[in-house]
Amino acid sequence: MPVAAPSPSRRRAAPSSVGAQAAPASPGERLGLRSDWDFALHLPLHYVDETRITPIVQLREGRIAVVQARVVQAEIMPARRRVLRVTVEDAEARLELRFFHFYPNWARQYAPGKELRIRGEPRRGLFGFEMVHPVCRVAAAGEALPRSLTPIYPAGAGISQAWLRKAVAAALRRLDAREWLPAQLLERLRLPPIAQALHLLHAPPPEMPLEALEQRSHPAWRRVKFDELLAQQLAQQMARSRRAEQRAWPMPERSGGLVQRLLQALPFALTADQAACVSEIALDLQREQPMHRLLQGDVGCGKTVVAALAAAQAIDNGFQCALMAPTDILAAQHLQRLAGWLQPLGVGVAWLSGAQRKREREAELARAASGEAALVIGTHAVIQDKVQFARLGLALVDEQHRFGVAQRLSLRAKGAGEQRQPHLLMMTATPIPRTLAMAVFGDLDISTIAHSPPGRQPVRTRVFSSDQRREAVKERVRDLVLQGRQVYWVCPLIEPSEPVEGGADGGEPGPAAARPAAGARGGQPELRAALDAHAELQALLGEQAGCVGLLHGRMPSAHKAQVMADFAAGRLRLLVATTVIEVGVDVPSASLMVIEHAERFGLSQLHQLRGRVGRGSQAAQCLLLFSEPLSQTARARLQAMHESSDGFVLAQKDLELRGPGELLGQRQSGLQGLRHADLREDEDLLELAREAAASLLREHPLAAREHLQRWLGAGMDWLAA
Ligand code: ADP
Ligand code: MG
């Protein structure tokens, strides 16, 4: 089969500079492929038919074909842009090949008389057909044609198809593809054996209709996807039964206890949804199995008070409760709110942050260790080694998708003693569509707050071209600020490909695992954008420049806290901020948000940002400024923001637009496991896999283990929490 000619883009990896990592990764590693199974499961994107040679006279415009022909002439044309032109002919006709990128020695390699095998897309040129940049090479004498379709694999820059084909074929030869699934199951689901499926996908026979393969609906594809989902469901069901064996301290609710006193002290009544979640959680806490629950609800729906009531129940039973939040702005806000509710009721509260001074920190650590503080609030600082609790009974994790599994586990591990585990309640404002929740969190119980407290005004969202309307928007901001209203001005993300919650704005540096290395690079330009916008808006407000505040991730925590406090108190009226405000910030009087370069943000992120306004009783507005060029998906995102303010609707839309990988953020490692199944299309397979997992664990536990091992190998850890 034709093999790509050496391409100028395939350079040798540059020798790494002093101090850089050791040997450069192999091509396989760069694609994340290590084991034979990794290669076997690296499936083709599409195929080309090289099983037959098409005579040049039979070429059809636009249809990729393989031609075998002799070189008549090869010359480098000294045009403005140099072009290598090679003319070839077979028995009846001529074809012209053109290369714009080439090595000079190609002209010699393709010298007249050489017999070439060429694959490319014919286009009509001045003198009959031509192919631009075909894949071509000198054909060996009497070379046979391949007997199967040629797979085209997903590959990164500098990784050739030829290399991948060889590596995959070698892996397939070594592979232990024993069938672990019972024959009746496969029969019932009409799925082929795995070995057969893999062979067919990597080397389909020439008569195979490509459509079913390329659209991934062929039974062979369904088998692979089913296996993947099955592995995931098995792991989750196993984790669930492991947890059922664990013990926790039961924490009954006492009448007249702290929970009821807190309820009476609240300035509002719980909504029906909140009350329902509170009682689900209260029941969990009374049991001897550790709670493992996700509390989900749209931004601003009121999850904090639900968490506070859970904390009250634990504390009332003589246990400590730890609350971990991803940024120090958010943690500080929790401190303020929860301490405000619980301290008057006699609850001791401790505060832990990475930015704390040593003396202060040690005092707080001592209060956590002695049990004097029943409630410990903080950032990642809460899970550091030094932190010890006297009797941790409940762990609360806010915005859980911001944390890695290991971090959630280590918070829980802080409380393990006497064979008992603390209860765990996680919160998220990134609403997750049902299918996704099942796939990713199959082993979690979920409580949902579907409706926000009454009296909220929906946020009106409008979308404007920055070129045309930015000045007008600035005028409007000035008018509102001069009238005493409060406004957020959100600065653009600079590198949209970076993890959105990048380290730049994530607050204090947490443990390495929490900060993807890539995030750190996004900081400087973003900071610059914020500084520029701040200066520009200060100038706009002239004498009133003093009411323009600035908030970004590089500021010291105390400074950030001061700015937030000034904004909350109304001393600042215009807050220029990076996405540092995305999560959890609660200033109910703010009623307008402007987001610059809104096209660079993801849908759920825009929704989170917008959730900062419309928290009070005032009608609120969100203005999204975009710049051209606007991609189709960016346009669809902005449109969706304009049309809906329902987080669940938007999450569903996001899933459609971007696929699940991005929806839950890069740290949601569970999704890295899903390489093949597409939750938008394979919901039926997910249901089947769920049932199959349960019966397999019951009836064929050995096969279940083998299957899981095959898919997850060493990566099984992520399913534990
Ligand atoms: P989130 O779910 O985004 O964490 P919060 O817990 O921060 O939301 O709540 C948002 C705002 O709504 C807060 O100011 C909170 O005090 C208020 N709130 C919560 N529950 C109610 C309720 N039942 N009635 C009125 N306001 C409420
Ligand atoms: Mg919150």
Side-chain angles (χ1 to χ4, degrees):
M1 71 187 95
V3 167
S7 124
S9 70
R10 213 191 321 155
R11 283 189 219 104
R12 251 167 211 285
S16 50
S17 58
V18 187
Q21 321 87 307
S26 73
E29 277 166 10
R30 271 186 277 152
L31 292 172
L33 309 176
R34 283 173 200 92
S35 70
D36 287 341
W37 272 100
D38 289 340
F39 280 95
L41 291 168
H42 192 66
L43 296 173
L45 286 174
H46 51 96
Y47 304 86
V48 288
D49 186 353
E50 296 178 332
T51 60
R52 50 188 214 98
I53 283 172
T54 307
I56 293 173
V57 286
Q58 286 176 26
L59 288 177
R60 295 234 234 112
E61 170 121 40
R63 171 155 326 163
I64 292 175
V66 177
V67 164
Q68 184 150 329
R70 200 173 321 100
V71 178
V72 182
Q73 192 182 29
E75 56 179 345
I76 296 173
M77 314 290 290
R80 187 152 37 104
R81 212 174 138 206
R82 286 162 23 113
V83 182
L84 169 64
R85 207 170 74 181
V86 181
T87 310
V88 297
E89 70 177 3
D90 64 6
E92 302 120 328
R94 284 191 173 192
L95 173 69
E96 190 142 304
L97 315 178
R98 285 202 281 153
F99 301 88
F100 296 102
H101 308 282
F102 57 93
Y103 286 122
N105 70 347
W106 286 16
R108 256 172 291 134
Q109 222 170 322
Y110 301 151
K114 289 275 176 69
E115 184 86 6
L116 301 185
R117 191 164 290 176
I118 303 148
R119 190 187 78 222
E121 185 180 326
R123 285 203 236 144
R124 283 219 181 274
L126 277 179
F127 316 99
F129 277 119
E130 62 179 33
M131 288 181 181
V132 175
H133 275 279
V135 175
C136 91
R137 68 181 167 83
V138 178
E143 190 180 312
L145 287 164
R147 281 193 299 264
S148 52
L149 301 177
T150 307
I152 308 290
Y153 292 106
I159 298 172
S160 77
Q161 290 294 328
W163 184 88
L164 264 172
R165 270 174 221 146
K166 259 197 219 129
V168 169
L172 283 175
R173 279 195 300 276
R174 286 189 301 258
L175 197 68
D176 172 10
R178 256 178 295 173
E179 184 57 68
W180 290 111
L181 302 189
Q184 307 98 295
L185 176 68
L186 295 181
E187 223 163 273
R188 190 160 53 80
L189 303 181
R190 298 217 193 94
L191 295 173
I194 186 68
Q196 191 185 320
L198 289 173
H199 185 74
L200 185 133
L201 292 174
H202 287 290
E207 67 278 8
M208 188 81 198
L210 285 183
E211 196 155 315
L213 283 187
E214 292 181 352
Q215 290 180 0
R216 306 188 166 197
S217 57
H218 189 278
W221 257 110
R222 284 176 60 84
R223 170 67 206 254
V224 170
K225 298 186 202 184
F226 175 81
D227 278 20
E228 178 176 46
L229 292 166
L230 179 65
Q232 197 202 34
Q233 292 299 315
L234 281 171
Q236 287 176 351
Q237 292 181 22
M238 283 162 69
R240 182 183 278 269
S241 51
R242 265 201 309 278
R243 210 171 19 257
E245 289 160 15
Q246 292 170 346
R247 291 283 162 274
W249 298 107
M251 305 173 179
E253 211 178 331
R254 295 190 302 132
S255 72
L258 194 57
V259 174
Q260 286 179 13
R261 283 191 287 145
L262 174 55
L263 275 172
Q264 280 156 15
L266 288 175
F268 47 74
L270 295 186
T271 64
D273 283 358
Q274 283 171 322
C277 292
V278 167
S279 42
E280 282 166 3
I281 292 165
L283 278 179
D284 279 2
L285 290 175
Q286 288 172 30
R287 299 184 23 186
E288 237 183 307
Q289 269 83 47
M291 169 167 69
H292 193 62
R293 187 173 283 278
L294 179 71
L295 173 60
Q296 65 167 1
D298 212 345
V299 288
C301 71
K303 294 181 289 296
T304 315
V305 67
V306 175
L309 287 160
Q313 188 169 336
I315 293 167
D316 209 22
N317 279 276
F319 292 93
Q320 284 172 297
C321 169
L323 168 58
M324 177 164 75
T327 68
D328 53 9
I329 291 190
L330 184 54
Q333 200 168 286
H334 280 317
L335 174 70
Q336 204 183 357
R337 192 119 46 98
L338 296 193
W341 285 333
L342 288 166
Q343 257 169 353
L345 304 177
V347 175
V349 180
W351 164 247
L352 290 172
S353 140
Q356 226 158 12
R357 275 179 219 285
K358 195 161 178 241
R359 277 255 299 288
E360 185 190 349
R361 183 177 168 76
E362 268 163 11
E364 299 292 286
L365 283 173
R367 297 177 61 228
S370 70
E372 186 193 333
L375 179 59
V376 178
I377 299 179
T379 56
H380 304 85
V382 171
I383 48 174
Q384 267 147 25
D385 283 347
K386 280 202 192 139
V387 183
Q388 283 179 354
F389 294 88
R391 260 195 121 192
L392 183 63
L394 171 64
L396 301 170
V397 180
D398 197 13
E399 305 295 344
Q400 63 85 28
H401 58 289
R402 296 292 183 102
F403 293 99
V405 171
Q407 295 171 314
R408 303 196 297 246
L409 280 182
S410 50
L411 180 55
R412 172 178 262 190
K414 291 279 179 199
E418 299 172 57
Q419 312 294 318
R420 307 269 174 158
Q421 295 265 334
H423 296 283
L424 177 62
L425 178 65
M426 300 179 267
M427 290 172 265
T428 183
T430 301
I432 301 158
R434 203 188 78 87
T435 334
L436 201 51
M438 207 163 104
V440 183
F441 299 122
D443 68 327
L444 263 188
D445 296 309
I446 297 184
S447 294
T448 304
I449 303 179
H451 304 284
S452 293
R456 299 270 168 87
Q457 306 262 2
V459 181
R460 253 183 72 205
T461 301
R462 306 177 67 187
V463 182
F464 294 118
S465 151
S466 194
D467 281 348
Q468 291 164 22
R469 301 292 292 275
R470 192 167 181 280
E471 289 308 309
V473 167
K474 275 168 60 185
E475 292 297 309
R476 178 156 169 69
V477 165
R478 186 181 60 191
D479 292 348
L480 285 176
V481 169
L482 292 179
Q483 287 166 28
R485 304 271 292 273
Q486 285 182 290
V487 178
Y488 290 104
W489 185 285
V490 180
C491 296
L493 287 173
I494 300 301
E495 285 165 293
S497 60
E498 303 261 313
V500 284
E501 71 264 55
D505 281 328
E508 71 300 307
R515 307 254 158 254
R521 279 182 278 120
Q524 291 312 328
E526 232 161 86
L527 176 56
R528 225 177 304 123
L531 292 172
D532 289 350
H534 182 241
E536 181 186 352
L537 293 166
Q538 274 191 324
L540 174 79
L541 276 152
E543 283 183 1
Q544 296 281 319
C547 74
V548 184
L550 173 65
L551 191 68
H552 60 76
R554 290 290 160 95
M555 287 167 26
S557 311
H559 191 178
K560 273 191 262 189
Q562 186 58 49
V563 171
M564 279 314 296
D566 285 345
F567 190 62
R571 287 186 292 273
L572 291 175
R573 294 205 296 277
L574 175 52
L575 186 62
V576 177
T578 56
T579 49
V580 70
I581 60 156
E582 177 192 346
V583 168
V585 170
D586 185 33
V587 178
S589 52
S591 62
L592 174 67
M593 172 173 286
V594 178
I595 303 179
E596 285 207 87
H597 277 291
E599 79 280 359
R600 294 186 190 171
F601 293 87
L603 193 47
S604 61
Q605 198 181 20
L606 286 172
H607 179 64
Q608 289 269 346
L609 282 167
R610 180 174 60 181
R612 304 305 113 218
V613 292
R615 306 193 138 222
S617 48
Q618 254 172 345
Q621 259 200 36
C622 177
L623 305 182
L624 303 175
L625 292 177
F626 68 86
S627 301
E628 304 282 358
L630 200 53
S631 74
Q632 218 162 15
T633 44
R635 186 177 299 276
R637 286 200 294 270
L638 298 180
Q639 177 82 16
M641 283 296 291
H642 172 67
E643 285 168 1
S644 179
S645 56
D646 180 330
F648 286 88
V649 171
L650 292 172
Q652 189 65 48
K653 187 81 193 167
D654 210 19
L655 183 61
E656 281 163 29
L657 287 174
R658 305 201 295 176
E662 289 179 75
L663 182 55
L664 294 180
Q666 307 208 337
R667 280 182 220 158
Q668 203 66 57
S669 36
L671 283 172
Q672 288 164 6
L674 284 186
R675 280 159 59 193
H676 306 291
D678 181 336
L679 295 172
R680 292 165 291 186
E681 286 162 11
D682 302 320
E683 202 170 345
D684 66 319
L685 280 177
L686 178 59
E687 300 276 358
L688 293 173
R690 223 156 99 101
E691 288 161 23
S695 74
L696 212 57
L697 281 172
R698 245 184 352 250
E699 289 152 30
H700 306 275
L702 183 67
R705 283 204 166 273
E706 294 288 348
H707 183 84
L708 195 53
Q709 201 55 41
R710 181 174 282 180
W711 274 85
L712 302 176
M716 273 175 57
D717 218 29
W718 61 264
L719 291 146

